[in-house]
Amino acid sequence: MLRITGGQRRETGPDGEYVIRSVPGAAATKTYRCPGCAQEIPTGMAHVVAWRPYGDGEDRRHWHSSCWERRSRRSPRAPRH
């Protein structure tokens, strides 16, 4: 199920319900680590932010768009150091 609410949307899948926001490259001003592939999302790269709809937002994570789309087909990877 997908519901769009302004600049964000809600998705329900096998892993639960999430609020998703697309971040355009011009607004991506920090580097993040994607929980799907454990690789960096560099500044300037478009990506998505996902979090549970109920809570304090501490679970908010930045994902490569492709990793978010494939999350139900693979498990999160441990970060490389």
Side-chain angles (χ1 to χ4, degrees):
M1 178 178 164
L2 175 68
R3 290 187 309 209
I4 299 176
T5 56
Q8 349 184 112
R9 64 185 188 270
R10 286 191 182 212
E11 288 185 15
T12 301
D15 56 347
E17 186 175 1
Y18 286 89
V19 177
I20 312 301
R21 181 182 308 141
S22 294
V23 178
T29 59
K30 293 170 71 176
T31 299
Y32 297 97
R33 187 156 308 271
C34 175
C37 68
Q39 299 298 306
E40 285 190 352
I41 302 171
T43 58
M45 177 179 271
H47 62 280
V48 298
V49 180
W51 66 94
R52 297 288 182 172
Y54 309 105
D56 59 9
E58 288 295 316
D59 61 342
R60 188 172 65 173
R61 298 291 178 263
H62 294 253
W63 294 69
H64 291 109
S65 299
S66 59
C67 290
W68 176 255
E69 294 299 320
R70 293 190 307 256
R71 76 191 183 283
S72 65
R73 295 189 293 272
R74 72 175 190 205
S75 60
R77 298 193 178 163
R80 295 180 192 173
H81 296 288

